Every structure is written in C-alpha cells, then in structure tokens.
Amino acid sequence: MQIIDNGGVVAAPLHHRLASSWLFRSLSPAQAVKLQRELRLATYQPDELMFLEGEHGDRAHFICSGTVKTSRAIIDRPRYLRALLGPGDLVGVASFLDSGPRDLTAVAVTKVTTASITWEQLRTWCDQVPAIGLDLARERHARAREFETRALHLALLDASARLAGLLLALAKRFGVTEKGVVRVEHHLTQDELAHLIGSSRETVCKSIQQFTTRGWIQPTEGGVWLLKPDLLLRRAR
C-alpha cells in the first residue's frame, strides 16, 4: 500500500468518483471538498492484500478506481469469493461499524485507489450532517437486497441461468462496448465464477462451453466478450 498526499492537485480528479458514493450524497460542494481532504488516499498494486479476515478494522474504504475481490474462509476451503467490487463501492463497512474483526479478506485485482475514513471521522460528520446516517442505512439496505436476490436466484434458477445473469451483471458494472459487443475484464477464474453463483467449476466450465458454442460469448484471458447479451438475458430468466 502506498499512501497518497491528499493535496488539492492529487485529490481533485477523484472528486467525481467519490461524489457518486452515499457519503457525499448529502453534502454541499464546500462540505464535500472539506471531507475529501480528511480522507486517506492510498493505492494498491494488483494482487496486493488490502486487509485480512479476522484483523481489527477501523477504516472503511471507498474504491476510487480499479477492482477488488472480497472473500471469506469457510469450513471446507480456505477462501470463498463473495464479491467483485469497483469504483464507488465501499469495502470493509461491517467491522467498521461494529468495531469487530474484519469479516472478509479484500485483495486488489487491478491497481486500486481508495479513500478511507475512520469511524470517529464518520461519527463527527454524522453529527454535523445527520442525513449521512440515513444515506448509510440506505446503502446497507441496498447491499442486503442484492444478496437476498442472489439467494433467491440460487433457489429458483439453474446454474446456467445464474451464470448468464452473473455475466450480464458484470457487464453492466464493468463492461465496455466496442464495435457493438461488450467486453468485460473481470479477472475471475472459473472457480471464482462458481463461488458467485453457488455452483461447481465443472458446471461453470460446461455452461461457458455451451454459451460459446451457441455464439453468445467469447471467453478471453481474464474476461469475456458478450456477443449476444439479449440471448443471455433470455437464458437468465
């Protein structure tokens, strides 16, 4: 990790990314500039550990650029992928709020820049701008609703449908349209894709082969081209 000098020239380009987060949503322009200067900016290199499950966590991190994998240990395997996060997402909020140990491990996938805030800083700002607390509650509710939807899909959809839905979700979040098709650089292994849809690597491999044969996708190293997203959407339902 490299700490960045949070001066005006360095901080200014990050403002438009932070402004999209719940923390800045209720702030005036002057307040936003003041808070931004109080945040700690840091960069992480690809595959660098940001924090480890079980550690004490006193900071929550907003992702300004890059992608981050979060995972947790479970009984029958050392690490289980939980989410792929990107710009605007908040990492490490659970332990941050209850002052407990980290419940997840976070690792930078690409080069990542974050802006972090401590609990004491957040509490001070909530006292000054009470709407921040409500925005935090809304953010937490939105994340809980996402995981509830994922759990519902696990119960109702087959693995191929869940994979189609995941690829579309990744495309919506991280995709870039080029020449009429969508390129997604997710940097996930087939094992990790399987974690996210509650399936096995073998099943994911089989579904990817089926989608490729049908001309719906074209796998690449570290990603995928979505050639027929409309057909993937139909399969995901």
Side-chain angles (χ1 to χ4, degrees):
M1 176 182 69
Q2 180 180 359
I3 306 298
I4 301 174
D5 178 21
N6 194 2
V9 175
V10 174
L14 301 178
H15 184 275
H16 72 282
R17 296 190 183 279
L18 292 174
S20 65
S21 71
W22 60 265
L23 182 59
F24 283 74
R25 195 173 299 150
S26 298
L27 300 182
S28 68
Q31 289 172 325
V33 170
K34 180 181 178 182
L35 174 55
Q36 182 183 317
R37 292 186 179 279
E38 292 181 13
L39 302 181
R40 188 179 78 181
L41 305 182
T43 60
Y44 299 84
Q45 297 304 313
D47 299 321
E48 184 176 354
L49 178 69
M50 293 177 59
F51 54 78
L52 187 65
E53 182 179 353
E55 293 179 343
H56 174 70
D58 65 342
R59 286 181 175 272
H61 301 260
F62 288 91
I63 303 174
C64 300
S65 64
T67 54
V68 174
K69 292 179 184 178
T70 60
S71 61
R72 67 191 320 167
I74 59 176
I75 295 173
D76 63 342
R77 64 187 72 187
R79 194 66 37 208
Y80 194 90
L81 186 67
R82 188 169 183 267
L84 182 67
L85 305 176
D89 285 331
L90 182 64
V91 189
V93 67
S95 58
F96 166 79
L97 290 176
D98 63 16
S99 299
R102 298 283 192 190
D103 63 341
L104 296 169
T105 291
V107 176
V109 177
T110 62
K111 184 176 180 180
V112 171
T113 301
T114 68
S116 62
I117 185 171
T118 66
W119 168 242
E120 291 300 326
Q121 287 175 305
L122 179 60
R123 185 167 61 181
T124 298
W125 275 94
C126 284
D127 289 341
Q128 297 174 3
V129 187
I132 290 178
L134 180 59
D135 289 333
L136 172 57
R138 288 170 175 159
E139 175 72 13
R140 296 291 289 163
H141 176 69
R143 299 291 79 79
R145 189 167 49 198
E146 287 179 8
F147 282 103
E148 182 180 328
T149 299
R150 281 175 57 180
L152 188 63
H153 287 172
L154 286 175
L156 300 179
L157 301 178
D158 61 43
S160 289
R162 298 198 300 271
L163 179 61
L166 174 62
L167 293 177
L168 290 168
L170 292 173
K172 182 177 180 180
R173 186 64 201 282
F174 303 106
V176 176
T177 301
E178 297 180 5
K179 297 180 180 179
V181 295
V182 182
R183 175 174 58 86
V184 185
E185 298 294 334
H186 54 63
H187 304 282
L188 300 176
T189 66
Q190 290 186 356
D191 266 325
E192 290 171 331
L193 290 171
H195 294 175
L196 293 177
I197 65 169
S199 186
S200 66
R201 185 193 65 78
E202 292 77 13
T203 299
V204 166
C205 181
K206 181 179 179 180
S207 295
I208 288 175
Q209 289 174 346
Q210 290 175 345
F211 294 168
T212 303
T213 300
R214 294 170 182 171
W216 297 357
I217 67 172
Q218 178 59 55
T220 64
E221 184 176 356
V224 64
W225 289 88
L226 301 192
L227 308 178
K228 300 288 182 63
D230 55 333
L231 297 180
L232 282 173
L233 179 59
R234 185 182 303 174
R235 183 66 184 88
R237 291 173 175 170

